[in-house]
Amino acid sequence: MAPHAIMVSFHLQGHIIPFVNLALKLASKGFSITFAHLHFVHQHISQSQHDADPFAAARTSGLDIRYTTFSDGFPLDFDRAFDAEYLKFFRDGYPDKVDQLVGKILQSDSSTAASNYFLIADTFCAWPEKIAKKYGLVNVSFWTQPALVFSLYYHLELLRGKGHVPVDGRREMVDYVPGVDSINTKDFMSYLHDTELEVIHDVIFRAFDAVKSADFILCNTVEELEADTISALQQKQPFYAIGPLFPADFATKSIARSLMPEANSADWLNSRPPRSVLYVSFGSLAKTDRNVIAQVAGGLLLSGVNFIWVVRPGMVDSGGGGGGGVLPEGFEDMTRKRGLMVPWCSQNEVLSNPAIGGFLTHCGWNSILESVWCGVPIICYPLFTDQITNRKLVVDDWKVGINLCEGEGIINKEEVAEKIEFVMSEKRSEEMRQQMEKVRRTLENATSVDGSSERNFDRFVEDVSHQIFS
Ligand code: UDP
């Protein structure tokens, strides 16, 4: 009988996508999966276009992946992303909901011995230890960000003890975190900078206490890219680098309908010369400051490049809805021939289109992995959370991208235009493109049959099966 994973993701897009890819990968190894997601996620997915649906591949895969939904008790349209009330519930009320759900799943399955089940939860969850103990389940934690970010949270007490957290505006080099050569405190995740602690800090800090009791930790990264950090973590707990986790059909979905109804985005992109289009996206989540949007738009105007820009409704910090009222006057008219603004697109398909020559990104970890996978050089404008630390990996360590602006947080359209021109000029960015090709090959090799991520994944499958059945 195959092991059966109950998988509970964190409720944000950037976590759900790698969770679904992990479910598919485990199921392809013969595991059964019950994927639990909240009603509101289910509703969002049901209403979304096919190409924004991370579950589409799982539904049509023919593998043993089952779905179950549960309610968090909040209205379906409640904006949960980083809402303090919701985070309090996530910390205090959510564990009981998962407890009931797991109990129900185990009770309702008469065909499989309960002992075949195990738990895979997002590392941001602090409840798995208790629930795993109660039901006698092996407890697997899945971290969807880089090992460096994991390690900094993991060594929080050490950082606090040395007085480097909270960062509180200081700029100091830290060289004592096991497996982390050296890192400036400015590159710590945003939550380690704050002196005033909110619920989100408590949620994360508790989660990293809890992960110390996980039986296994999976990480969506590549061993060769973070070797020292990973091997230091492996001294503490079984830690497996299994990334990048992507769908098998990475680049085959259609691009979402354009905001410009007369234009077809896929045709538009296909008709552009190779490496002539800059892709711009600040991710699925954070609100972006009005001034940043205005300066990026100004930089796009000055640079004269082709671009495709994801302008999500509500992405601007205050007022203005989408880009409305924030973009320079006449922006849309002036760029109609060379620019496309979309509310959403199939990012994987956009990035793998030969017309794309650069990616201006907020440095979400999935976006970085996807960009490297497609060999697209990166312009970094991190907004918050792990994005700050991810930037260091991209620009300082791997040298596959540049900063959008050098002055911290200060952005102006002239500098934006200069950075865009640099990345889009194949001659000027040649060295960076060569470096990108090396890192891209590292990812490709890791996921090949004998690659590190495949081997690590197989080792995990063996180790977890052994623990479940022993
Ligand atoms: N994404 C997409 N289309 C968009 C914007 C984002 O398909 O228009 C996907 C993107 O490919 C990535 C995920 O959403 O897989 C975003 O995750 P990431 O970690 O990059 O950033 P987050 O949105 O979590 O900040």
Side-chain angles (χ1 to χ4, degrees):
M1 186 83 59
H4 190 140
I6 299 174
M7 296 184 66
V8 188
S9 167
F10 193 55
H11 54 270
L12 302 177
Q13 180 87 29
H15 294 248
I16 293 170
I17 289 175
F19 249 85
V20 172
N21 293 331
L22 175 60
L24 283 163
K25 200 165 169 68
L26 275 171
S28 74
K29 299 278 177 189
F31 281 46
S32 299
I33 308 289
T34 295
F35 204 108
H37 51 103
L38 289 164
H39 282 160
F40 95 92
V41 176
H42 178 68
Q43 196 220 23
H44 181 78
I45 287 166
S46 319
Q47 287 174 353
S48 69
Q49 295 173 351
H50 174 82
D51 55 10
D53 175 358
F55 292 97
R59 266 200 297 273
T60 54
S61 64
L63 300 168
D64 185 8
I65 300 180
R66 310 162 200 184
Y67 295 94
T68 184
T69 59
F70 63 113
S71 170
D72 54 15
F74 282 67
L76 290 176
D77 59 357
F78 186 83
D79 183 4
R80 289 157 176 82
F82 300 102
D83 176 85
E85 187 193 348
Y86 193 75
L87 282 166
K88 265 188 205 144
F89 159 78
F90 183 76
R91 183 188 62 193
D92 305 330
Y94 192 91
D96 284 344
K97 304 265 182 196
V98 183
D99 186 345
Q100 285 162 20
L101 178 84
V102 171
K104 217 167 80 188
I105 293 170
L106 296 180
Q107 233 173 25
S108 68
D109 189 348
S110 51
S111 67
T112 316
S115 58
N116 287 2
Y117 279 84
F118 70 108
L119 196 61
I120 304 183
D122 195 294
T123 305
F124 272 136
C125 303
W127 46 260
E129 182 188 10
K130 200 168 143 219
I131 292 178
K133 257 201 193 127
K134 176 170 171 183
Y135 295 102
L137 303 174
V138 170
N139 170 9
V140 179
S141 189
F142 179 35
W143 180 241
T144 61
Q145 297 173 7
L148 172 61
V149 173
F150 185 98
S151 181
L152 293 173
Y153 282 136
Y154 198 84
H155 294 103
L156 192 62
E157 280 318 309
L158 177 64
L159 291 165
R160 277 196 183 123
K162 301 262 190 188
H164 283 123
V165 168
V167 174
D168 194 18
R170 278 166 302 146
R171 301 283 173 265
E172 283 166 15
M173 293 309 290
V174 167
D175 60 2
Y176 51 80
V177 175
V180 178
D181 187 19
S182 76
I183 181 168
N184 194 302
T185 49
K186 80 174 169 50
D187 295 322
F188 284 4
M189 300 78 79
S190 62
Y191 300 122
L192 301 188
H193 289 250
D194 306 334
T195 44
E196 263 179 53
L197 299 189
E198 296 171 9
V199 197
I200 180 74
H201 300 88
D202 194 34
V203 165
I204 297 175
F205 300 164
R206 281 184 195 214
F208 274 82
D209 264 346
V211 78
K212 295 188 171 117
S213 65
D215 296 302
F216 302 98
I217 300 163
L218 301 175
C219 183
N220 192 20
T221 191
V222 176
E223 196 168 299
E224 288 81 356
L225 292 182
E226 300 194 85
D228 293 347
T229 310
I230 290 168
S231 88
L233 288 165
Q234 284 168 338
Q235 306 295 315
K236 310 266 184 178
Q237 281 178 265
F239 190 97
Y240 305 76
I242 57 163
L245 289 165
F246 290 138
D249 59 346
F250 184 87
T252 57
K253 293 173 190 160
S254 63
I255 300 172
R257 199 169 51 82
S258 161
L259 272 184
M260 296 185 221
E262 73 277 11
N264 177 305
S265 335
D267 288 349
W268 184 89
L269 205 48
N270 289 334
S271 69
R272 304 287 135 174
R275 291 188 282 281
S276 72
V277 179
L278 179 75
Y279 172 53
V280 183
S281 172
F282 295 105
S284 65
L285 206 59
K287 297 204 184 293
T288 313
D289 185 88
R290 293 174 76 84
N291 181 48
V292 173
I293 301 287
Q295 298 303 325
V296 167
L300 285 169
L301 272 181
L302 286 175
S303 70
V305 300
N306 296 326
F307 64 88
I308 177 163
W309 187 358
V310 176
V311 181
R312 277 183 302 104
M315 74 180 253
V316 178
D317 229 352
S318 55
V326 180
L327 300 173
E329 216 183 312
F331 179 79
E332 282 163 83
D333 282 341
M334 284 188 276
T335 57
R336 196 169 290 283
K337 287 221 170 73
R338 62 178 173 91
L340 196 63
M341 287 191 283
V342 294
W344 182 261
C345 67
S346 168
Q347 182 163 300
N348 292 356
E349 186 178 3
V350 170
L351 283 172
S352 47
N353 191 298
I356 296 295
F359 182 12
L360 198 173
T361 169
H362 69 312
C363 297
W365 185 237
N366 296 292
S367 293
I368 288 171
L369 291 175
E370 290 158 6
S371 200
V372 173
W373 185 254
C374 298
V376 175
I378 298 169
I379 306 177
C380 296
Y381 191 77
L383 298 169
F384 75 141
T385 181
D386 61 316
Q387 297 154 20
I388 315 288
T389 315
N390 302 345
R391 183 217 64 83
K392 173 197 181 309
L393 293 171
V394 170
V395 178
D396 304 347
D397 296 1
W398 307 336
K399 304 187 178 8
V400 296
I402 56 171
N403 300 321
L404 181 65
C405 50
E406 299 305 334
E408 281 172 44
I410 302 159
I411 179 167
N412 68 69
K413 61 184 182 203
E414 287 78 16
E415 193 179 0
V416 172
E418 158 57 23
K419 296 301 174 74
I420 291 174
E421 283 160 18
F422 176 85
V423 162
M424 297 304 287
S425 154
E426 290 193 39
K427 206 162 159 211
R428 291 177 67 194
S429 61
E430 194 186 341
E431 212 173 302
M432 191 172 70
R433 285 173 189 275
Q434 282 170 3
Q435 188 57 23
M436 175 59 97
E437 179 52 21
K438 276 192 208 152
V439 182
R440 190 198 66 73
R441 252 187 269 129
T442 306
L443 257 62
E444 193 178 80
N445 292 341
T447 53
S448 66
V449 180
D450 281 330
S452 60
S453 292
E454 280 303 300
R455 278 186 275 110
N456 291 338
F457 196 81
D458 288 344
R459 199 161 46 83
F460 165 70
V461 163
E462 209 173 288
D463 294 349
V464 78
S465 304
H466 182 259
Q467 184 145 343
I468 291 166
F469 296 119
S470 62

